[in-house]
Amino acid sequence: MKIFKDKKILINETFDIKNIGFIPTMGALHNGHISLINEAKKKTNKILVSIYVNPTQFKSKIDFKKYPRSLKKDIKILKKIKVNYLYIPSTEDIYTFKPKSKIYLDGFSKTLCGKFRPSHFKGVINIINRLLDIIKPKFIYLGMKDFQQLTLIRSHIVKNRIKTKLIPCQTIRDKNGIALSSRNAKLNKKQLRVAQKIYKFIKNNKKTILKKILQKKRFEISKNIIKFGADKIDYIECVNLERKQICTNIKDKFNVFIAYYIKNIRLIDNL
């Protein structure tokens, strides 16, 4: 595996490779990331992973500093599964150039996480735009757990006619149903049981949740989630995946989207 920290060296090494599969990450790799890499291997034999904890998408400097980091372990994992290239840019390397495409933020960015973290998705799209400009991959692989993020990145790619195809990949869950996330490493056993209860409640009560929300009885759902052990709920919404809109009809096909805190650890999911 070749490791790059300088975008110019990376570009010179890969400029004539037309079929790169790209997986952007913030490190602290888990089986969810590995599943994205395995999906990429089905379409191409040239895999590039990036690791960069992007400060512009965090709500606070404290959250940024506390984000889990395990670079040595990550490199070991990527070598073991035979990734071809790893890009570990510095902030200077990634931000000291002007990308060809302008940032496009679809209106969907103002709901769900965007409502509670106003600058988050601008930071996400900015860094992805820069990475795509440098790497020019044929494919980019993203997980459905971050459905809103995935949808906004796709809209940006389409709007700017970027020649990269986005491949959505299913959410990977551990044996208790919790969606895999780097932040899960910060949860103790008791907190993991809280997350498991919340997952099972949503999975088993999707139609009831939609009904209660449409009846303006959201507080009844929130009360249950707090009772399970969540300390705070940013939102719980039912979203029509095709229209990318909050559900207004009991017959809508939808997923339940949630963002909540256990202590100061923010978790998101949709199912």
Side-chain angles (χ1 to χ4, degrees):
M1 181 175 72
K2 294 186 177 181
I3 300 174
F4 302 95
K5 297 184 179 181
D6 185 310
K7 62 179 177 290
K8 291 181 180 178
I9 298 174
L10 170 62
I11 291 168
N12 287 336
E13 180 77 21
T14 62
F15 78 96
D16 60 344
I17 300 174
K18 306 300 182 185
N19 64 336
I20 291 175
F22 173 45
I23 297 92
T25 83
M26 293 204 297
L29 302 180
H30 50 70
N31 285 338
H33 296 112
I34 293 171
S35 74
L36 297 177
I37 293 166
N38 288 336
E39 283 298 313
K41 286 181 178 180
K42 293 176 183 179
K43 285 184 175 290
T44 175
N45 60 358
K46 296 296 181 183
I47 310 298
L48 191 153
V49 173
S50 67
I51 295 177
Y52 179 67
V53 184
N54 178 29
T56 65
Q57 67 189 70
F58 285 84
K59 192 174 182 179
S60 70
K61 289 182 180 180
I62 294 173
D63 193 24
F64 169 70
K65 288 180 180 178
K66 288 186 176 181
Y67 191 83
R69 293 166 171 84
S70 55
L71 185 57
K72 287 184 180 179
K73 182 180 176 183
D74 292 344
I75 291 172
K76 188 176 180 180
I77 289 169
L78 296 175
K79 284 182 177 179
K80 186 176 180 179
I81 59 177
K82 298 181 179 179
V83 164
N84 303 94
Y85 307 111
L86 172 61
Y87 180 36
I88 315 171
S90 64
T91 296
E92 181 181 10
D93 194 58
I94 202 75
Y95 277 110
T96 52
F97 77 101
K98 185 177 180 180
K100 294 177 183 177
S101 301
K102 292 182 179 180
I103 295 172
Y104 173 71
L105 272 178
D106 183 83
F108 188 43
S109 65
K110 296 178 181 179
T111 63
L112 303 176
C113 285
K115 185 177 179 180
F116 291 87
R117 309 172 81 192
S119 62
H120 172 72
F121 287 120
K122 185 176 181 181
V124 171
I125 300 298
N126 188 3
I127 194 67
I128 291 295
N129 187 40
R130 292 171 178 276
L131 289 167
L132 292 178
D133 202 332
I134 292 167
I135 298 163
K136 296 178 174 57
K138 185 172 183 180
F139 307 104
I140 180 171
Y141 294 80
L142 299 170
M144 290 290 286
K145 179 180 77 73
D146 299 296
F147 177 82
Q148 187 176 20
Q149 175 177 288
L150 181 154
T151 300
L152 294 171
I153 291 171
R154 176 187 277 141
S155 296
H156 169 77
I157 289 172
V158 171
K159 182 73 173 180
N160 286 286
R161 298 180 180 179
I162 296 170
K163 294 179 180 179
T164 296
K165 183 177 181 181
L166 191 154
I167 309 294
C169 301
Q170 67 178 1
T171 300
I172 304 300
R173 301 180 181 276
D174 65 19
K175 60 183 179 181
N176 57 20
I178 302 170
L180 295 185
S181 168
S182 298
R183 294 179 188 270
N184 291 1
K186 300 168 75 175
L187 299 171
N188 60 36
K189 290 182 179 180
K190 183 179 178 181
Q191 291 168 335
L192 285 169
R193 286 195 292 271
V194 171
Q196 180 183 15
K197 289 177 183 178
I198 292 170
Y199 160 75
K200 286 184 176 179
F201 172 74
I202 293 173
K203 182 183 178 183
N204 295 331
N205 295 279
K206 286 182 66 173
K207 290 185 178 180
T208 300
I209 290 170
L210 175 58
K211 186 177 179 180
K212 292 289 185 183
I213 289 174
L214 292 177
Q215 292 174 343
K216 301 188 185 302
K217 295 181 180 179
R218 190 190 309 269
F219 69 92
E220 294 183 13
I221 303 301
S222 299
K223 186 178 179 181
N224 274 305
I225 292 168
I226 295 296
K227 186 172 69 175
F228 291 138
D231 292 281
K232 178 185 173 184
I233 302 169
D234 271 356
Y235 62 80
I236 180 163
E237 294 284 2
C238 297
V239 177
N240 183 304
L241 300 186
E242 292 181 1
R243 298 200 305 266
K244 283 80 176 179
Q245 293 176 349
I246 304 298
C247 293
T248 57
N249 193 305
I250 195 70
K251 295 181 180 179
D252 277 352
K253 292 182 179 180
F254 68 96
N255 270 14
V256 177
F257 284 70
I258 187 169
Y260 65 96
Y261 289 82
I262 300 177
K263 298 299 182 184
N264 63 343
I265 304 163
R266 188 176 191 269
L267 302 174
I268 67 169
D269 201 354
N270 75 89
L271 58 142

